[in-house]
């Protein structure tokens, strides 16, 4: 059984924050879901705060080497989660941009017929943001259960000591004779 990272609670809490953000995304097909530039901008702002938090956690763990335990798994976990979080931010930004353009066009009474296409594009972007936020949270949860190299070494040592116990494994086979003739390759 893998030993969890000492940073597992922080990684899991951050994953939960991404899950909450994902749960609060507007659902494009739901008529009760609010989809306006303010709502999307608010979601984008919250996502930016979480991305900044992960970057700060990476920096903190990189600079503060006096911490107990190995910071590498948490650094790797947060770093891996930044990519899908940024993909979600890009998708939300495209929705905010498109909504802003539609709201501006609506103020100018522009009846161009583009809203059907825009709705499809925004629905796809929201689906992409949802998928990327799920990937971010899953990545953080995975990092929380991945054992640190220090824990993996401890676990391997326990396994080796148990393997050396009498009667646990058959004795190793006798080594086979190694051929002393080698074929020289041209240089």
């Amino acid at each position: 059984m893998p030993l969890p990272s000492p940073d597992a609670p922080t990684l899991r809490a951050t994953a939960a924050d991404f899950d909450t953000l994902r749960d609060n995304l507007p659902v494009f097909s739901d008529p009760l879901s609010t989809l306006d530039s303010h709502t999307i901008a608010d979601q984008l702002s919250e996502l930016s705060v979480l991305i900044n938090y992960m970057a700060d956690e990476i920096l903190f763990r990189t600079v503060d080497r006096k911490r107990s335990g190995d910071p590498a798994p948490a650094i790797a976990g947060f770093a891996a989660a930044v990519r899908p979080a940024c993909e979600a931010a890009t998708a939300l930004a495209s929705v905010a941009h498109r909504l802003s353009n539609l709201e501006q066009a609506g103020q100018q009474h522009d009846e161009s017929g583009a809203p059907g296409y825009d709705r499809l594009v925004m629905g796809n972007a929201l689906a992409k943001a949802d998928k990327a936020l799920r990937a971010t949270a899953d990545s953080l949860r995975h990092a929380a259960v991945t054992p640190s190299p220090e824990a993996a070494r401890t676990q391997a040592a326990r396994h080796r000591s148990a393997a050396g116990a009498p009667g646990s494994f058959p004795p190793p086979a006798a080594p086979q004779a190694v051929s002393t003739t080698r074929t020289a390759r041209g240089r």
Side-chain angles (χ1 to χ4, degrees):
M1 177 177 189
L3 299 173
S5 162
D7 294 304
T10 304
L11 290 161
R12 281 193 297 270
T14 307
D17 290 341
F18 278 99
D19 285 334
T20 300
L21 182 62
R22 187 173 60 82
D23 290 342
N24 291 330
L25 280 179
V27 179
F28 203 73
S29 60
D30 182 4
L32 300 176
S33 186
T34 305
L35 183 63
D36 59 30
S37 58
H38 180 267
T39 301
I40 296 298
D42 186 49
Q43 295 288 316
L44 187 56
S45 178
E46 288 181 38
L47 178 54
S48 298
V49 168
L50 288 173
I51 292 170
N52 189 50
Y53 170 77
M54 289 192 303
D56 287 347
E57 288 296 313
I58 293 167
L59 178 62
F60 171 71
R61 284 167 173 76
T62 301
V63 171
D64 186 17
R65 296 290 181 174
K66 298 175 195 165
R67 299 183 66 218
S68 63
D70 181 15
I75 291 170
F78 283 119
V82 169
R83 184 193 50 78
C86 288
E87 289 172 5
T90 300
L92 286 176
S94 72
V95 173
H97 182 252
R98 197 163 286 271
L99 281 171
S100 177
N101 286 343
L102 286 174
E103 289 168 1
Q104 182 180 4
Q107 290 173 356
Q108 297 172 354
H109 304 293
D110 180 19
E111 302 295 329
S112 64
Y117 173 74
D118 285 330
R119 291 183 60 78
L120 177 66
V121 171
M122 287 186 291
N124 288 340
L126 285 172
K128 184 183 281 189
D130 180 82
K131 183 179 177 182
L133 289 172
R134 179 184 307 270
T136 303
D138 289 348
S139 177
L140 290 165
R141 276 190 286 278
H142 176 74
V145 297
T146 301
S148 68
E150 185 176 289
R153 283 191 297 273
T154 303
Q155 188 175 12
R158 285 183 188 150
H159 179 71
R160 281 192 306 272
S161 66
S168 59
F169 291 102
Q176 296 181 1
V178 178
S179 172
T180 57
T181 58
R182 294 187 184 197
T183 306
R185 297 193 183 225
R187 292 185 183 196

